[in-house]
Amino acid sequence: MKLPGQEEFEVSSACENVPTGELDSGPGSGPSPDGPSDTDRGELGVPKDPLLFIQLNELLGWPQALEWRETGRWVLFEEKLEVGAGRWSVPHVPTLALPSLQKLRSLLAEGLVLLDCPAQSFLELVEQVTRVESLSPELRGQLQALLLQRPQHLIQPIGTRPCQGSAHPREASHNEEAPLKAQHQNPLRRKLPPGAEAGVVLAGELGFLAQPLGAFVRLRDPVVLGPLTEVPLPSRFFCLLLGPSTLGKGYHEMGRAMAVLLSDPQFQWSVRRASNLRHLLAALDAFLEEVTVLPPGRWDPTARIAPPKCLPSQHKRLLSQLREVQGPSARHGALAEDRYGHWPQAPSPELQRTGRLFGGLVQDVRRKASWYPSDFLDALHPQCFSAVLYIYLATVTNAITFGGLLGEATNGAQGVLESFLGTAVAGAAFCLMAGQPLTILSSTGPVLVFERLLFSFSRDYSLDYLPFRLWVGIWVATFCLALVATEASVLVRYFTRFTEEGFCALISLIFIYDAVGKMLSLTSAYPIQSPGYPAYGCFCQYPDLGGNESEWTRTEPKDRNDISSMDLGLVNASLLPPPECARRGGQPRGPSCHAVPDIAFFSLLLFLTSFLLATALKHVKASRFFPSVVRRVLGDFSSVLAMLLGCGLDSFLGLATPKLTVPSEFKPTLPGRGWLVSPFGANPWWLSVAAALPALLLSVLIFMDQQITAVILNRAEYKLQKGAGFHLDLFCVALLMLLTSVLGLPWYVSATVISLAHMDSLRRESRACALGEPRSFLGIREQRLTGLVVFILTGTSIFLAPVLKFIPMPVLYGVFLYMGVAAISSIQFTKRVQLLLMPAKHQPDLLLLRHVPLSRVHLFTAIQLACLGLLWIIKSTPAAIIFPLMLLGLVGVRKALERVFSPQELLWLDELMPEKERSIPEKGLEPEYSLGGDSEDSELMYQPRAPEINISVN
């Protein structure tokens, strides 16, 4: 004889006995290299458990028509059923009333607990749960029939209306396949990783029960319980909480409390291994010890707390589980490993001396040779195609921007064409040979400054620039090879955040200063017309010095230092109001004075438009407007879109703004020179020896620029698997310095901005994640092909010169300004500078302010400001040629700070030097300011160590 409602589960019995792997064969299932990575649990040797999906089914309708309805679901965060709106709420952090946890503990202590239950179907499970002495046979039958009723789920397949179970389950028995089909079509199933399990909580009020009934079951083998859950996952846990009617939402809140407990990874880990009731209650008590209580009346209970952007590390709680697995003897070792293994780490093999000449280079070559075939095979992924497009546009933008600025800095000795050709040749060669092929070579701000200084020196002393530059490049290559031979790259361990921030801030200020300076120069050449002054001028022609009237033509300028002739491309033409034109003896061109808009005004308009547009588009990526795909495209290509829109606005209005100067054919920008630079030219022979002095300074700059970027890219937080190649990268840069010097092309080093953007475009993330949880970061797709293709495409872009000449220079200046502002706003140094101007009560709750006195923070920031100011002063004086040595001096200043600040303060404000890192395990690092007890002194060890300089190319 069948129980009422029993037939509803017999139709789905086939699904109950299907192996778990077959049920997970839908979209997003199966083994994948993008699966979840090792977490804190794996790092400490604690076994990792399957993800658990928890569902709360609540009994509603007493005493009229009883029905089970799904009212909540959890993975890490809670989703509530919004009945009126017919949808699920946004995932949020669950909040519980403390009495509900206490009542739940009492009910579990007095109820039925079955661990490793052998039930193979929901019917068997119900029969075992209802075997309670307090229940009469009649009540037991009624309760079994009630439990076997199919619950209502809110399942929303894509493109359909919400699908809910029937309100009359007995009448729905003739159509049993529909709910199962809806379960398989549930989009939530694709968000859960393969191997996920389910936990079900049933709670509600029953008037015919005289006393509460509680049961907790852990199944020995997970079983699919038919349509009990909205997703057809094998269930591991089952909890039943029923009782007589009470005031309030007692059983509803106890059901939520049980679901929240099961969603907690540490409670779940303990319950999976519990062997009796005492272990279960101990796990609940451990959860209560970690609970944070909010006082009543101080917050809104209806408010939903949004999930954090970054989940805190669970190392602190996992230590207790490790003691359970390995015993108390493992406590000291685990604590030491956790305390010192999470931040100060032993130097990587790439940064250990071999003691042999070129020993580091040989090791880098051997290490990378084993990965060379996979560097191409790993690029066979659709993600790499999108990365190529993204980085290509960014590289072209950078080549145009730096090419235009380099042309102005060297008076046309180099230009956009050389920038494109050099980027393609040097970048492609580097991607094929380098130790870290994710690095993107490009012109950088400090090297551009040195090029400007070298050209100014050559002009002031009447030297032939390109031959002099050739010998500088030859000496630089020689010095860099000497650094590779002596394994000098191991010194990058001394480049802490103090040095990185000073270097990044200097680059950013150079970007900002140059962009604003160029616009001010343009404004001074063409003053913005004041009120009462004619709003339009005209191009007029007037006699030259020889008395001959010259034609008004758009040709290359004779004097590139004259911004009026350079930017407008005019020889004997000026932009003057008609009266002034007539006074100088000029004559307006055309039948009437051809009116042109105010150049300075519209140039300034384009400058501000491109800067603000790039900034706004970048912020769209983090906003809630538009679909995620649109937001990502607008954010990733913000600078490219800003440049295109600026060019479109300039063309639509027909403005005579200064345009980018590019050659119309494939030949060097400087007229009269070939592709190979003459070794001497008009310079004396001894200059080839004297070039060693500026080359020594440039070698320091190249070493700092290259290796600081390499340190940032190879941080452990990026989870790179193929290792770095500091010595091999510097060796490649040295050879490319020689090549570009011979060809008269710009010098190239690793570009922090684009390289970080390249790595970001190749991020590997988990395909499935918990509701409300961001996708977990798995690492970077390490390969050589994307960079190689990017530089090949950049080389073909040389033939875009007829198009590039229409790009307004104010638009490039605006993008340049944006790059500088975005870079300087991404470092901690900027936040600490803001603290100087902020009252204490308005300061953000930064972790470093919890552990370091504010006066010490201000002192550290003031020292950084003083160093940055000194660097800027030296760069702006005739002694600017030595400013690379001052960059190296930042390392010495940081070393001297150890006499001013304690290791505890430096650990929060910066990083520890290698010697200090080695001394920590011996002496320990105790907090200087502690009030006793388990204070926040250990908070730092559990914080994720992410790179402080994280600049996006946009």
Side-chain angles (χ1 to χ4, degrees):
M1 181 177 180
K2 298 181 181 179
L3 294 169
Q6 177 181 342
E7 66 278 0
E8 300 177 15
F9 284 85
E10 292 183 348
V11 177
S12 58
S13 60
C15 287
E16 296 177 2
N17 299 321
V18 174
T20 302
E22 296 182 16
L23 283 168
D24 289 335
S25 61
S29 62
S32 168
D34 292 338
S37 62
D38 292 338
T39 58
D40 297 336
R41 196 181 299 276
E43 294 173 4
L44 287 178
V46 180
K48 186 178 179 182
D49 296 320
L51 186 72
L52 192 64
F53 168 76
I54 303 100
Q55 175 177 316
L56 173 61
N57 292 346
E58 193 171 353
L59 185 62
L60 304 174
W62 176 264
Q64 288 82 15
L66 292 177
E67 64 176 8
W68 293 102
R69 182 188 295 272
E70 180 186 8
T71 59
R73 61 187 187 186
W74 291 257
V75 178
L76 284 180
F77 304 102
E78 179 180 14
E79 285 185 286
K80 293 182 178 179
L81 177 64
E82 296 173 341
V83 181
R87 65 177 187 180
W88 288 105
S89 70
V90 295
H92 56 276
V93 179
T95 55
L96 299 172
L98 192 57
S100 64
L101 287 168
Q102 296 170 344
K103 293 178 181 178
L104 175 63
R105 189 187 190 284
S106 300
L107 189 57
L108 292 178
E110 300 173 358
L112 176 66
V113 175
L114 299 177
L115 302 177
D116 293 333
C117 176
Q120 294 296 318
S121 65
F122 187 51
L123 179 59
E124 294 180 18
L125 179 61
V126 168
E127 290 177 350
Q128 295 199 28
V129 167
T130 55
R131 288 175 184 173
V132 182
E133 296 180 357
S134 59
L135 292 177
S136 63
E138 182 181 358
L139 290 179
R140 186 178 295 113
Q142 294 180 10
L143 184 58
Q144 289 179 352
L146 183 64
L147 293 176
L148 291 173
Q149 287 186 11
R150 176 176 299 138
Q152 292 192 41
H153 305 299
L154 180 66
I155 301 177
Q156 291 181 284
I158 300 175
T160 63
R161 294 184 177 181
C163 176
Q164 297 186 357
S166 171
H168 305 284
R170 295 184 181 181
E171 298 176 3
S173 59
H174 60 87
N175 187 16
E176 300 296 338
E177 293 298 329
L180 292 175
K181 184 178 180 181
Q183 284 178 294
H184 285 280
Q185 292 178 349
N186 192 343
L188 175 63
R189 184 168 178 263
R190 289 176 290 187
K191 296 180 178 295
L192 299 174
E197 298 176 348
V200 184
V201 180
L202 303 183
E205 298 179 353
L206 272 178
F208 57 76
L209 290 179
Q211 58 185 5
L213 173 63
F216 180 84
V217 180
R218 184 186 69 204
L219 295 172
R220 182 174 57 195
D221 299 315
V223 178
V224 177
L225 301 179
L228 186 64
T229 57
E230 65 166 299
V231 184
L233 295 175
S235 297
R236 173 72 70 174
F237 299 100
F238 177 83
C239 184
L240 180 64
L241 303 171
L242 296 175
S245 301
T246 59
L247 295 177
K249 298 182 178 181
Y251 289 95
H252 169 76
E253 290 299 321
M254 278 194 289
R256 289 187 61 249
M258 189 69 244
V260 171
L261 281 170
L262 289 174
S263 68
D264 179 65
Q266 276 59 55
F267 177 84
Q268 180 191 144
W269 185 90
S270 299
V271 171
R272 285 179 180 271
R273 290 153 184 82
S275 57
N276 50 49
L277 175 61
R278 182 172 57 85
H279 293 163
L280 176 63
L281 298 179
L284 198 155
D285 293 337
F287 178 86
L288 287 173
E289 291 178 0
E290 299 289 338
V291 166
T292 300
V293 178
L294 296 173
R298 306 293 177 85
W299 73 294
D300 184 7
T302 62
R304 292 172 178 170
I305 305 174
K309 293 182 180 179
C310 180
L311 292 177
S313 175
Q314 299 294 321
H315 272 70
K316 218 172 184 179
R317 300 177 64 190
L318 283 172
L319 288 176
S320 60
Q321 297 178 2
L322 189 63
R323 291 196 299 271
E324 295 179 17
V325 175
Q326 301 179 359
S329 60
R331 171 183 171 84
H332 179 74
L335 182 61
E337 179 184 356
D338 185 58
R339 176 180 286 270
Y340 307 118
H342 248 68
W343 15 292
Q345 297 182 1
S348 60
E350 300 92 342
L351 297 179
Q352 292 181 348
R353 288 188 181 275
T354 64
R356 300 187 303 271
L357 202 63
F358 290 102
L361 176 63
V362 173
Q363 283 194 348
D364 283 352
V365 172
R366 290 176 178 174
R367 185 184 305 111
K368 303 303 292 187
S370 61
W371 293 104
Y372 203 79
S374 67
D375 285 342
F376 293 92
L377 297 177
D378 291 347
L380 302 179
H381 191 276
Q383 184 184 17
C384 295
F385 292 99
S386 61
V388 165
L389 176 61
Y390 173 34
I391 301 304
Y392 164 69
L393 294 176
T395 303
V396 168
T397 303
N398 197 66
I400 294 172
T401 305
F402 275 99
L405 295 174
L406 189 62
E408 296 180 11
T410 61
N411 201 14
Q414 296 169 328
V416 176
L417 187 88
E418 286 83 0
S419 180
F420 271 96
L421 182 61
T423 300
V425 173
F430 189 85
C431 287
L432 288 173
M433 301 185 301
Q436 182 48 271
L438 296 174
T439 303
I440 299 295
L441 289 194
S442 176
S443 299
T444 62
V447 176
L448 177 63
V449 171
F450 194 90
E451 290 262 26
R452 183 185 293 117
L453 296 174
L454 197 64
F455 176 79
S456 300
F457 180 82
S458 302
R459 182 186 56 191
D460 295 342
Y461 292 93
S462 301
L463 300 177
D464 201 348
Y465 170 64
L466 287 179
F468 181 43
R469 182 180 181 273
L470 168 62
W471 284 106
V472 171
I474 293 175
W475 280 108
V476 168
T478 304
F479 291 145
C480 288
L481 290 177
L483 292 175
V484 174
T486 57
E487 299 180 299
S489 295
V490 299
L491 298 177
V492 302
R493 291 183 293 157
Y494 293 89
F495 293 171
T496 64
R497 191 169 62 208
F498 179 89
T499 307
E500 295 173 7
E501 288 182 339
F503 190 76
C504 180
L506 180 64
I507 295 175
S508 304
L509 291 178
I510 290 174
F511 280 22
I512 297 171
Y513 179 82
D514 283 349
V516 176
K518 294 299 181 182
M519 285 306 305
L520 292 178
S521 300
L522 185 62
T523 305
S524 63
Y526 302 106
I528 297 179
Q529 299 170 3
S530 59
Y533 196 81
Y536 290 84
C538 65
F539 283 116
C540 65
Q541 58 182 156
Y542 50 91
D544 58 15
L545 296 178
N548 298 320
E549 188 177 62
S550 56
E551 282 293 328
W552 178 77
T553 56
R554 196 169 184 81
T555 60
E556 290 296 319
K558 291 182 179 179
D559 184 6
R560 289 182 178 271
N561 293 321
D562 182 3
I563 191 169
S564 60
S565 64
M566 177 189 70
D567 289 336
L568 292 176
L570 305 177
V571 180
N572 291 310
S574 299
L575 179 65
L576 300 172
E580 182 66 15
C581 178
R583 187 183 66 81
R584 294 191 181 188
Q587 186 176 8
R589 178 73 174 177
S592 61
C593 181
H594 178 63
V596 294
D598 187 339
I599 289 182
F601 172 78
F602 282 100
S603 296
L604 183 61
L605 178 63
L606 289 177
F607 173 74
L608 295 177
T609 300
S610 58
F611 167 69
L612 296 176
L613 189 59
T615 304
L617 290 176
K618 185 62 180 179
H619 289 165
V620 168
K621 188 174 182 179
S623 69
R624 298 187 178 184
F625 300 102
F626 310 114
S628 58
V629 176
V630 177
R631 292 200 308 268
R632 183 173 179 83
V633 170
L634 293 178
D636 289 344
F637 300 101
S638 57
S639 61
V640 179
L641 293 175
M643 185 178 297
L644 293 176
L645 292 176
C647 295
L649 180 62
D650 177 85
S651 176
F652 177 75
L653 297 178
L655 303 177
T657 52
K659 300 297 192 297
L660 184 66
T661 302
V662 292
S664 57
E665 53 188 9
F666 185 72
K667 65 179 182 179
T669 303
L670 185 64
R673 90 163 179 96
W675 282 113
L676 295 179
V677 177
S678 172
F680 294 100
N683 297 332
W685 67 268
W686 53 264
L687 196 63
S688 60
V689 180
L693 181 59
L696 180 63
L697 300 175
L698 181 57
S699 299
V700 175
L701 178 61
I702 293 293
F703 181 81
M704 295 284 292
D705 205 348
Q706 168 67 31
Q707 300 296 40
I708 285 180
T709 302
V711 168
I712 296 173
L713 296 182
N714 290 284
R715 285 187 179 273
E717 290 75 22
Y718 288 117
K719 301 181 180 180
L720 300 180
Q721 303 297 321
K722 300 182 180 180
F726 295 97
H727 310 282
L728 181 56
D729 288 348
L730 187 59
F731 178 77
C732 294
V733 169
L735 297 182
L736 293 174
M737 286 288 295
L738 182 61
L739 176 64
T740 53
S741 299
V742 171
L743 297 177
L745 303 176
W747 289 322
Y748 295 97
V749 293
S750 298
T752 308
V753 175
I754 304 182
S755 298
L756 282 172
H758 187 207
M759 294 182 67
D760 183 69
S761 66
L762 295 171
R763 290 170 58 95
R764 292 190 301 113
E765 296 178 336
S766 59
R767 293 183 179 179
C769 57
L771 300 173
E773 179 191 13
R775 294 180 181 271
S776 58
F777 173 66
L778 303 178
I780 304 296
R781 201 172 300 280
E782 302 174 62
Q783 36 74 45
R784 298 178 183 270
L785 200 56
T786 54
L788 183 62
V789 174
V790 163
F791 289 116
I792 292 176
L793 293 176
T794 304
T796 61
S797 301
I798 295 174
F799 304 102
L800 295 178
V803 179
L804 299 179
K805 67 181 181 181
F806 293 104
I807 299 178
M809 289 302 294
V811 173
L812 292 182
Y813 297 152
V815 174
F816 210 57
L817 175 64
Y818 165 72
M819 293 171 65
V821 173
I824 201 170
S825 61
S826 68
I827 56 180
Q828 189 201 77
F829 169 67
T830 305
K831 298 180 178 65
R832 285 188 278 105
V833 170
Q834 295 173 354
L835 293 179
L836 293 172
L837 308 175
M838 196 178 300
K841 64 179 180 179
H842 296 304
Q843 292 175 354
D845 185 23
L846 302 177
L847 282 177
L848 64 92
L849 295 180
R850 302 181 187 179
H851 300 272
V852 183
L854 184 60
S855 59
R856 305 291 287 176
V857 175
H858 288 342
L859 176 61
F860 188 85
T861 307
I863 294 174
Q864 277 190 295
L865 281 173
C867 292
L868 181 61
L870 182 61
L871 285 173
W872 187 265
I873 292 174
I874 292 177
K875 186 195 74 68
S876 305
T877 61
I881 197 72
I882 68 168
F883 95 97
L885 291 179
M886 301 305 298
L887 284 175
L888 189 61
L890 290 176
V891 179
V893 174
R894 169 59 184 83
K895 183 66 177 177
L897 290 180
E898 294 179 355
R899 299 180 177 272
V900 181
F901 298 91
S902 67
Q904 175 77 11
E905 293 172 336
L906 289 175
L907 192 59
W908 282 101
L909 295 170
D910 188 34
E911 297 170 357
L912 295 182
M913 289 286 195
E915 293 82 358
K916 292 293 181 180
E917 291 182 0
R918 289 194 295 268
S919 66
I920 285 179
E922 301 173 3
K923 299 186 296 183
L925 187 61
E926 299 300 331
E928 296 184 359
Y929 310 97
S930 178
L931 299 178
D934 186 16
S935 61
E936 295 180 357
D937 64 290
S938 61
E939 189 172 357
L940 175 61
M941 75 178 73
Y942 304 114
Q943 298 304 317
R945 304 293 291 173
E948 290 295 332
I949 302 178
N950 188 10
I951 314 168
S952 172
V953 73
N954 292 306

